[in-house]
Amino acid sequence: IPFPMNMNSNSWNLRQLFGLFDQNQDGMIDVQDIVAVCSSPNAPLVDQATLRGIKYVVENNNEACHQPLAFSEFASLLDRHSIMTSDIKSEHLGKIIDIVATHTLSVPSSTKDSYWLNIVASDTMKHLVAGGVAGAVSRTVVSPMERMKILFQVQGPNMPAYTGVWSTLTRMWKEEGFKGFMRGNGTNVIRMIPYSASQFAAYEQFKTMLMKKGNTELDTPSRLLAGALAGTVSVACTYPLDLVRTRLSIQSATLVPTANTRLPGIRDTIKLIHATEGGLRGLYRGLWPTTLGVAPYVALNFQCYEVLKDYMIPVDSNHGNIRKLFCGALAGSIAQTIIYPLDVLRRRFQVSGMNTMDYKYNGTWHALTTMAKKEGFKSLYRGLLPNYLKVAPAMGVTFYSYELCKEFMHAK
């Protein structure tokens, strides 16, 4: 039974209105009737939360939520909501549909909110939260090593050299104090929360998409592909913050001469890069070598961790936490060793736009050949030792924190 074309001129008594809602004329208003009423071409607008509740019940075929209304219950329901049943006007129809749908589908406090509750409580959201926490914790733990690695990577052949792990840490402490160890870490944490969150969540999603029917684990090629895609997603989401973090890490070092002026923060650095280095393009300088490095690194990282975890942590093991730390540390070290030259290139491209740098590169291949020719092959692995000191604990803490958060939130 369709709604009348010109509803503004209509009014109904209670029996007529019940007949309008009872679309299949079986004497009861049920879920099929509600769907038919809301789908009618001339039906009034219905509250979006009510529509979501209807969709939820129908798609899940949830019989427990179906509470058909007889005529007497229909009359009582409208009376409880102060609807004048003797002379029902067209303007009341939208509200009445909401009331009837709410009762019939048990929508009110549970199903109405379930749309958002399902999103908040979904495994994807849990993976995002767990990944974000893991990234923030791990990067703060290894901040001094991260900054030292960047200083080693970006110094050219004609710059004052930072040499040796201990001497560099001592120099950072003498020149800048504790702030020197944490320089750029605020940006790093801001970057790592979405970076790590998007990476872990994307990896879990790609794992599900690539999983063959009937299997519980991915094969090696599929796992590597899932990791590479996850790495690409995370880089695309957070690259400008990675660039700014690199700039902040070296601005206060003696590698970059300053005249005792106040150093810019995150916002000022972004504005400066945008204004002086080609706008948005400047904020994405080095994206290609970064993606070339990060995608295989993340792929190898996840692959190594999953394999090591299966091998080293039996299901009934009582030493799983310590072994997860070790598996993460070893996986990160293996993956970083393989792709480290691309990580060096990433840092070089990120700072090549600064006036204080004595090198400029036209592309990835040009950078590789120039560095090898002028600075030797070892320049491609400059900073590898402090990188191990950073990557091993960072990845150990990352995977351990992620697994711990997943367990705490009961995520799959």
Side-chain angles (χ1 to χ4, degrees):
I1 302 174
F3 277 85
M5 290 293 292
N6 186 8
M7 292 193 304
N8 292 329
S9 62
N10 286 280
S11 62
W12 296 269
N13 61 37
L14 192 59
R15 179 63 68 176
Q16 289 173 325
L17 187 63
F18 183 83
L20 193 64
F21 276 88
D22 184 15
Q23 291 279 304
N24 57 13
Q25 299 298 295
D26 64 352
M28 302 288 285
I29 299 174
D30 55 24
V31 64
Q32 287 79 18
D33 294 322
I34 297 298
V35 172
V37 166
C38 292
S39 303
S40 179
N42 304 317
L45 293 175
V46 181
D47 181 70
Q48 289 299 310
T50 301
L51 290 176
R52 287 196 295 269
I54 294 169
K55 183 179 178 183
Y56 174 85
V57 173
V58 172
E59 287 182 352
N60 289 277
N61 195 25
N62 194 340
E63 294 294 334
C65 287
H66 298 180
Q67 298 182 23
L69 275 173
F71 177 76
S72 60
E73 295 169 323
F74 178 70
S76 176
L77 180 65
L78 296 191
D79 185 59
R80 289 200 303 270
H81 285 84
S82 303
I83 301 293
M84 297 293 293
T85 55
S86 58
D87 186 25
I88 301 170
K89 300 294 185 183
S90 299
E91 57 264 26
H92 298 145
L93 288 179
K95 182 179 179 181
I96 293 173
I97 292 175
D98 288 338
I99 292 170
V100 173
T102 294
H103 179 85
T104 306
L105 303 176
S106 298
V107 175
S109 58
S110 56
T111 310
K112 237 185 186 185
D113 298 331
S114 64
Y115 176 82
W116 296 109
L117 289 174
N118 286 340
I119 292 176
V120 173
S122 67
D123 282 328
T124 299
M125 186 62 69
K126 292 174 182 178
H127 296 151
L128 285 167
V129 172
V133 170
V137 171
S138 66
R139 285 306 181 255
T140 301
V141 168
V142 298
S143 179
M145 295 300 172
E146 172 70 10
R147 188 179 179 221
M148 178 170 57
K149 181 200 77 169
I150 293 174
L151 290 175
F152 284 150
Q153 287 178 332
V154 301
Q155 60 185 0
N158 301 320
M159 297 178 183
Y162 282 85
T163 57
V165 173
W166 181 250
S167 62
T168 300
L169 288 173
T170 303
R171 184 173 179 177
M172 286 165 57
W173 178 265
K174 287 181 177 178
E175 292 178 354
E176 304 173 65
F178 180 74
K179 287 183 179 179
F181 288 158
M182 293 292 141
R183 183 70 180 168
N185 188 59
T187 317
N188 204 19
V189 169
I190 292 172
R191 178 189 73 94
M192 278 307 300
I193 290 174
Y195 175 85
S196 186
S198 60
Q199 187 178 108
F200 277 102
Y203 178 68
E204 299 285 0
Q205 286 295 313
F206 287 127
K207 273 179 65 178
T208 302
M209 291 167 59
L210 296 171
M211 189 77 70
K212 293 179 181 177
K213 194 173 182 180
N215 291 356
T216 57
E217 291 292 338
L218 293 177
D219 55 23
T220 297
S222 297
R223 189 179 284 157
L224 287 170
L225 177 59
L229 291 172
T232 302
V233 168
S234 59
V235 168
C237 290
T238 61
Y239 186 78
L241 284 172
D242 185 39
L243 174 69
V244 172
R245 185 275 306 259
T246 301
R247 296 289 181 90
L248 291 175
S249 292
I250 69 167
Q251 279 177 145
S252 61
T254 53
L255 185 66
V256 181
T258 58
N260 296 322
T261 56
R262 179 180 171 273
L263 294 170
I266 298 172
R267 198 161 139 198
D268 292 337
T269 302
I270 291 175
K271 285 183 178 179
L272 182 63
I273 294 171
H274 189 273
T276 62
E277 299 181 35
L280 190 63
R281 186 177 180 181
L283 290 169
Y284 279 90
R285 177 177 283 111
L287 178 62
W288 177 239
T290 298
T291 305
L292 286 178
V294 170
Y297 170 68
V298 175
L300 289 167
N301 211 5
F302 278 116
Q303 170 66 13
C304 291
Y305 177 73
E306 301 272 17
V307 170
L308 288 168
K309 188 174 71 168
D310 290 342
Y311 179 74
M312 296 185 63
I313 308 176
V315 177
D316 58 347
S317 174
N318 294 323
H319 305 287
N321 291 337
I322 299 299
R323 292 184 182 183
K324 283 175 186 175
L325 282 168
F326 180 75
C327 289
L330 187 56
S333 299
I334 293 170
Q336 190 65 222
T337 302
I338 295 172
I339 60 88
Y340 191 76
L342 289 171
D343 190 44
V344 175
L345 284 183
R346 170 171 61 135
R347 301 303 180 194
R348 290 292 183 99
F349 275 108
Q350 287 177 343
V351 301
S352 62
M354 300 176 72
N355 295 328
T356 52
M357 296 299 159
D358 62 352
Y359 48 74
K360 302 289 178 185
Y361 303 121
N362 298 325
T364 303
W365 180 248
H366 178 251
L368 281 170
T369 54
T370 301
M371 288 177 64
K373 184 177 179 180
K374 292 185 176 181
E375 304 173 51
F377 183 76
K378 287 183 178 180
S379 65
L380 297 174
Y381 283 90
R382 185 174 289 148
L384 184 59
L385 176 58
N387 193 52
Y388 282 144
L389 297 177
K390 181 210 80 168
V391 166
M395 292 316 302
V397 171
T398 296
F399 278 111
Y400 174 69
S401 300
Y402 179 69
E403 299 275 12
L404 193 65
C405 287
K406 276 178 65 179
E407 290 175 16
F408 179 76
M409 294 185 290
H410 306 291
K412 293 179 182 178

